[in-house]
Amino acid sequence: VLKADAPLSKTDFTTGGWSKANWEVLNGIQLGDIEEKSRFKVIRDNENFYVGIETDLGADRTITAVGHDGPCWGQDCLELIIDPRGAREEYFHFIFGPVADSFYEAAFGLIKDPIDPGFNKSDPSWNGKWEYLSTRKGDKWYGFARIPFASLGVSEPAAGTIWTFNVGRESFKNAKKGSVGPELSLWSPNLETMSFRDRDSFGELTFSD
């Protein structure tokens, strides 16, 4: 994860500060073939972590806004899972769709009391300060996310800091054809279960100067 040295566009991930970052590709959740391809970049500045995602999405596909903490996962969506402590014990989960007012966030592992009903569960009542923007151009969807380090409870990572992390995509391209469910893809695939939230499958991000 490099540090941006120029302004960052919210819709073009090839210019400005983004030009320093390399594209990473999503694969089938269990390494199978996928129809709708996705790739992303990550970068940072002094206060924020940024993700820019480019994915296939047919221009004819209709998406309905579901509001804050609505069921985004029932339609085409992007998912970010971030563990800024790198211990695979806590993580933050962000989901957003291709339209405005269609997003979800939750935290796992922040409740430490085993008697608490929320212990060892994802907590959707957690609301972090973050920003997303979705832009559709033809058969492409460009998703931008800005997540302040402060929202994740950490300061700007020093060089060498390691987070665990994943990016997921749920594609409903074949939903009308009677497919069993959405096409699932991940940056760091899950070879044993079908869960995006399998902490053992998270990949690693290393911060650099």
Side-chain angles (χ1 to χ4, degrees):
V1 183
L2 298 171
K3 193 166 187 176
D5 55 7
L8 294 170
S9 169
K10 297 181 181 181
T11 58
D12 182 351
F13 309 130
T14 61
T15 60
W18 291 111
S19 62
K20 292 181 64 175
N22 294 322
W23 287 108
E24 297 284 341
V25 176
L26 271 62
N27 301 285
I29 189 169
Q30 293 180 310
L31 290 179
D33 292 333
I34 53 173
E35 292 188 53
E36 295 205 311
K37 311 297 184 182
S38 304
R39 61 180 186 167
F40 73 94
K41 291 183 174 184
V42 293
I43 203 161
R44 79 182 198 277
D45 60 22
N46 292 336
E47 298 181 350
N48 305 286
F49 176 72
Y50 298 90
V51 185
I53 307 172
E54 176 190 287
T55 185
D56 295 334
L57 179 66
D60 60 347
R61 208 165 317 161
T62 301
I63 310 295
T64 303
V66 296
H68 184 190
D69 284 345
C72 312
W73 51 86
Q75 305 177 93
D76 286 86
C77 66
L78 295 167
E79 304 200 21
L80 307 176
I81 301 174
I82 303 173
D83 164 20
R85 307 201 183 275
R88 304 180 191 270
E89 296 175 354
E90 303 173 1
Y91 64 80
F92 299 89
H93 193 177
F94 303 88
I95 309 175
F96 61 96
V99 295
D101 192 31
S102 191
F103 65 102
Y104 169 95
E105 72 266 83
F108 177 91
L110 301 188
I111 298 173
K112 305 298 185 184
D113 184 353
I115 300 177
D116 191 298
F119 179 71
N120 208 34
K121 295 179 181 177
S122 186
D123 179 11
S125 70
W126 179 84
N127 292 318
K129 181 180 179 181
W130 65 294
E131 170 192 12
Y132 85 92
L133 177 69
S134 287
T135 305
R136 295 178 70 175
K137 296 179 182 178
D139 290 329
K140 292 289 186 180
W141 167 21
Y142 300 89
F144 166 87
R146 179 185 66 85
I147 303 170
F149 295 126
S151 289
L152 303 175
V154 296
S155 56
E156 179 189 1
T161 299
I162 296 175
W163 288 7
T164 68
F165 173 80
N166 224 338
V167 177
R169 169 79 164 96
E170 296 186 46
S171 162
F172 284 77
K173 178 179 180 179
N174 296 319
K176 294 181 180 179
K177 300 178 183 179
S179 109
V180 175
E183 175 182 76
L184 305 176
S185 54
L186 279 170
W187 172 55
S188 181
N190 182 330
L191 301 181
E192 295 183 2
T193 74
M194 295 296 286
S195 173
F196 279 17
R197 296 180 290 180
D198 179 358
R199 287 169 279 165
D200 290 336
S201 72
F202 295 173
E204 293 186 345
L205 298 180
T206 302
F207 286 77
S208 178
D209 289 331

